[in-house]
């Protein structure tokens, strides 16, 4: 097991999160039975939800790996839904639990094509005739790739906890990958078609959720996530979300989400990237002057609108000495403070073939970064 070096603040600052021993015990009322749940009293950050214990996994969790194109989208389909859920369910008032309403049987049926054997399928029915198949006609592209469900629970006046809201993320294909008669092919799907189909699917899923016990008066937030092609270097994002109020069977008031991830250095020529790209290239050049025996420096910037909010930088290295790691991390910490503005969170991960070596985290408007060095 790796150990963590603790370095004085004058050199580097290391902080950690200490588990709370003062967790609250509440009674969780469900439709089936009364259960005991533990609510952690410590909230790591205002943007994070407190999670009920024992932790319950969603029935659809294992399906995401096989249906999304990259690990980047697997993470962002869940993290992005958490982020947009805060617009409806404040972390100050709600507790998080993975989705419990969509069952494994639901997800299996809904994600398949509609057919006589599977009328619940949400992807288009394959209506080709035998002759059309022989002629090489392709089936209609599947647009729905995955469904992410998250539950948000709230305290009642009776000092119990009940379901207060549900968020559903629909991961939609921008490229459909398929194999016919042993031949693989791909089909691009226009964004306008993805958006139109996504909104239709959102209404259908809301109707199906309303039929479940206890869901009639629960607000449902639905986000549309357009997943990236398989060769993408950065995650995709949610591009729209809407809310079905209590008792409503359709999503109302769709709102556009203007978020994107950008890989740096970038070949993009847009003005909003130029200043950040210059800062990143200067950072990269300074890193290369210190050590030349690493493979690359890659950054991924997260934008909301035209504003860079977060930069994550990965630096793979080939040296292993503890003194070198400490010296290099000290140097990186100074470069982070020098090259990136204070209103941007910057996270630098240093890794080697042995695994993680160091982590530098400078939060927004933070004058002293958080640093971990592993040994």
């Amino acid at each position: 097991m790796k150990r963590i070096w603790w370095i004085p603040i004058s050199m580097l600052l290391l902080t950690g999160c200490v588990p709370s021993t003062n967790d609250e015990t509440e009674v969780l009322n469900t439709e089936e039975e009364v259960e005991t749940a533990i609510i952690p009293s410590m909230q790591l950050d205002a943007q994070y939800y407190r999670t009920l214990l024992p932790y319950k996994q969603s029935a659809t969790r294992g399906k995401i790996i096989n249906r999304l194109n990259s690990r980047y989208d697997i993470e962002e389909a869940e993290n992005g839904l958490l982020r947009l859920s805060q617009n409806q369910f404040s972390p100050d008032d709600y507790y998080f639990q993975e989705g419990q309403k969509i069952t494994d049987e639901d997800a299996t049926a809904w994600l398949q094509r509609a057919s006589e054997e599977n009328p619940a399928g949400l992807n288009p029915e394959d209506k080709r005739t035998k002759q059309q198949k022989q002629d090489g006609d392709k089936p209609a592209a599947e647009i729905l790739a995955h469904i992410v469900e998250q539950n948000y629970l709230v305290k009642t006046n009776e000092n119990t906890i009940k379901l207060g809201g549900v968020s559903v993320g629909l991961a939609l294909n921008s490229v459909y990958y398929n194999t016919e008669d042993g031949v693989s092919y791909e089909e691009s799907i226009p964004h306008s078609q993805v958006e139109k189909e996504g909104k239709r699917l959102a209404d259908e899923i809301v109707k199906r959720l309303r039929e479940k016990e206890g869901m009639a008066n629960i607000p449902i937030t639905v986000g549309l996530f357009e997943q990236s092609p398989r060769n993408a270097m950065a995650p995709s994002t949610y591009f729209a979300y809407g809310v079905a109020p209590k008792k409503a069977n359709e999503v109302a008031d769709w709102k556009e989400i203007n978020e994107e991830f950008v890989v740096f250095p970038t070949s993009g020529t847009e003005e909003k990237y130029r200043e950040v790209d210059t800062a990143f290239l200067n950072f990269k050049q300074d890193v290369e002057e210190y050590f030349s025996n690493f493979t690359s420096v890659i950054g991924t910037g997260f934008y909301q609108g035209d504003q860079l909010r977060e930069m994550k930088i990965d630096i793979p290295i080939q040296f292993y000495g503890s003194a070198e790691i400490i010296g290099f991390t000290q140097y990186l910490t100074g470069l982070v403070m020098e090259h990136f503005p204070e209103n941007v969170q910057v996270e630098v991960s240093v890794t080697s073939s042995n695994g993680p070596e160091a982590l530098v985290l400078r939060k927004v408007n933070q004058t002293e970064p958080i640093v971990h060095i592993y040994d």
Side-chain angles (χ1 to χ4, degrees):
M1 180 178 294
K2 292 199 173 229
R3 300 192 306 273
I4 299 177
W5 288 77
W6 295 72
I7 301 176
I9 187 64
S10 57
M11 298 169 61
L12 303 168
L13 179 64
L14 179 88
T15 64
C17 299
V18 181
S20 171
T21 57
N22 297 318
D23 292 341
E24 305 171 17
T25 301
E26 302 290 349
V27 175
L28 172 60
N29 285 329
T30 67
E31 292 82 1
E32 297 82 10
E33 59 184 342
V34 177
E35 302 175 356
T36 299
I38 298 174
I39 306 172
S41 59
M42 177 178 289
Q43 188 173 7
L44 297 181
D45 192 286
Q47 64 178 318
Y48 296 132
Y49 289 95
R50 284 185 285 175
T51 302
L52 296 180
L53 301 174
Y55 193 84
K56 290 186 176 181
Q57 292 187 358
S58 169
T60 66
R61 188 177 191 184
K63 299 180 183 298
I64 194 170
I65 296 174
N66 297 323
R67 299 195 61 89
L68 294 193
N69 293 332
S70 71
R71 65 177 178 86
Y72 303 115
D73 279 358
I74 290 173
E75 295 176 0
E76 186 55 27
E78 297 182 347
N79 293 339
L81 187 60
L82 278 167
R83 192 166 55 248
L84 71 85
S85 295
Q86 294 177 23
N87 296 322
Q88 300 298 320
F89 313 119
S90 169
D92 294 333
D93 302 319
Y94 289 84
Y95 306 99
F96 172 83
Q97 186 177 66
E98 284 195 15
Q100 303 297 311
K101 291 298 180 180
I102 299 176
T103 66
D104 181 67
E105 291 76 14
D106 289 337
T108 299
W110 296 1
L111 292 171
Q112 293 178 1
R113 290 185 181 274
S115 65
E116 291 184 5
E117 296 77 19
N118 183 41
L122 291 174
N123 276 305
E125 181 179 358
D126 185 352
K127 296 182 179 180
R128 294 175 299 167
T129 64
K130 184 177 180 180
Q131 184 61 49
Q132 286 175 323
K133 292 180 180 179
Q134 291 177 348
D135 293 341
D137 290 359
K138 302 293 191 298
E142 294 184 13
I143 292 182
L144 181 61
H146 188 61
I147 303 171
V148 180
E149 180 198 350
Q150 296 173 352
N151 293 167
Y152 294 93
L153 297 97
V154 64
K155 274 188 178 181
T156 68
N157 293 332
E158 294 77 21
N159 204 30
T160 61
I161 296 175
K162 68 175 184 179
L163 183 65
V166 170
S167 288
V168 176
L170 303 185
L172 309 168
N173 290 322
S174 63
V175 179
Y176 174 54
Y177 298 93
N178 195 25
T179 301
E180 284 281 309
D181 298 325
V183 179
S184 298
Y185 70 94
E186 60 185 64
E187 178 182 343
S188 296
I189 305 172
H191 176 76
S192 57
Q193 182 182 351
V194 173
E195 181 176 9
K196 179 180 178 181
E197 187 67 6
K199 291 180 178 179
R200 183 191 70 80
L201 290 168
D203 288 342
E204 178 61 31
I205 289 174
V206 167
K207 290 177 185 176
R208 296 184 183 191
L209 287 174
R210 288 284 182 239
E211 296 172 356
K212 293 182 176 291
E213 186 176 359
M215 285 296 295
N217 294 313
I218 302 299
I220 303 173
T221 297
V222 183
L224 304 182
F225 181 90
E226 186 172 12
Q227 71 159 330
S228 302
R230 288 177 177 173
N231 58 354
M233 294 290 292
S236 189
T237 58
Y238 285 87
F239 64 87
Y241 82 98
V243 179
K246 298 177 181 179
K247 299 183 179 180
N249 286 330
E250 295 181 351
V251 177
D253 192 24
W254 284 99
K255 294 181 175 61
E256 181 181 353
I257 301 174
N258 188 5
E259 297 180 345
E260 66 174 328
F261 290 90
V262 179
V263 175
F264 290 96
T266 179
S267 58
T269 58
E270 292 185 44
E271 181 65 31
K272 69 176 180 179
Y273 304 140
R274 190 167 302 164
E275 184 177 348
V276 175
D277 196 46
T278 299
F280 183 86
L281 287 171
N282 290 335
F283 172 87
K284 182 175 183 293
Q285 181 178 336
D286 286 347
V287 171
E288 291 170 347
E289 287 182 357
Y290 190 90
F291 281 117
S292 59
N293 58 341
F294 61 85
T295 56
S296 61
V297 178
I298 299 295
T300 302
F302 173 59
Y303 280 82
Q304 289 181 315
D306 292 333
Q307 182 66 45
L308 178 69
R309 299 296 184 186
E310 183 178 8
M311 174 71 76
K312 291 187 176 181
I313 301 172
D314 294 315
I315 304 180
I317 59 174
Q318 298 176 4
F319 51 85
Y320 311 109
S322 296
E324 288 179 298
I325 295 294
I326 293 173
F328 186 47
T329 305
Q330 289 174 328
Y331 182 64
L332 284 177
T333 304
L335 294 182
V336 167
M337 302 300 292
E338 176 184 348
H339 290 293
F340 297 103
E342 294 181 354
N343 64 341
V344 176
Q345 177 168 306
V346 182
E347 179 181 313
V348 183
S349 298
V350 181
T351 59
S352 71
S353 59
N354 291 338
E357 299 288 355
L359 174 69
V360 179
L361 175 61
R362 201 283 308 278
K363 294 187 176 182
V364 174
N365 297 325
Q366 189 178 45
T367 57
E368 296 177 320
I370 301 167
V371 176
H372 294 287
I373 294 181
Y374 305 93
D375 181 26

